[in-house]
Amino acid sequence: MPLLNAKNLTMRFGGLVAVSDFSLEIGEHELIGLIGPNGAGKTTIFNMLTGVRNPTEGKIEFAGEDITNIKPYEITKKRMARTFQNIRLFKEISVLDNVKISFNFRVKYNIADSILRLPRFFKEEEEIEKKALDLLKIFKLDGKKDELAANLPYGEQRRLEIVRALAASPKLLLLDEPAAGMNPQETQELAELIKWIKDEFKISILLIEHDMKLVMSLCERIVVLDYGKKIAEGVPAEIKTNKQVIEAYLGEEDTNA
């Protein structure tokens, strides 16, 4: 059984068909790339998978459960997490608190414990802070735990968003253009980080990215969209030489990258 099984997804906005009859399976511990020109429907697919948008047609199964049309927070509880193309941190609170927020839906203490400051509240809050600090240390952000998220450099904000997603203990992590705005050195470090995350946390990753060098070197399988339709799927070597993909997106020069 695949971890994720999206079947015949279609998304219409009025008369516009943003995604048409899209299907995708992701297995355990896979790293999949989703590519295509701007406006091809990639982020719309992420939004359908994570409950931000309800598909007009189709079905989404995750870990054997039908999650079509359920709320984003319910999908997060089922252990699917994502980042966004435009960074969505809580910029006016600390780096540490940004990560701690992701643990909130798993807390066991109740409102009374919190209001009355009972021992169970303090014990669990201490555990959450330790877990958050451990994650920040892995990503070399523990030294900035008390800084406002808004004050971090762009690349560190990207890393913090990934940390916050990992704090939700996902089985599947969706990364929406994580290398956007990064220089070549930062992009190379990101590629190594994503590989490490996949192996260390033993999770599957679905990646939207425009940096073809990163995609080709990182992904085990690549799915290509054009005008909302899947036009190709295969290993990087197959995608690199697919004429339909070259015409739609990669360009002749990229086939030799």
Side-chain angles (χ1 to χ4, degrees), residues 9 11 13 18-19 22 34-54 82-86 88 158 174-178 206-210 225 228:
L9 298 183
M11 174 59 74
F13 298 101
V19 175
F22 176 83
L34 181 62
I35 68 171
N38 287 328
K42 303 181 298 295
T43 295
T44 299
I45 288 171
F46 266 34
N47 288 342
M48 286 190 285
L49 295 178
T50 56
V52 176
R53 296 279 186 182
N54 294 332
R82 71 172 293 182
T83 64
F84 291 84
Q85 182 177 350
N86 299 314
R88 296 190 185 182
R158 281 282 179 196
L174 286 72
L175 301 175
D176 193 347
E177 297 195 32
L206 179 61
L207 169 76
I208 292 175
E209 187 50 66
H210 282 295
L225 287 179

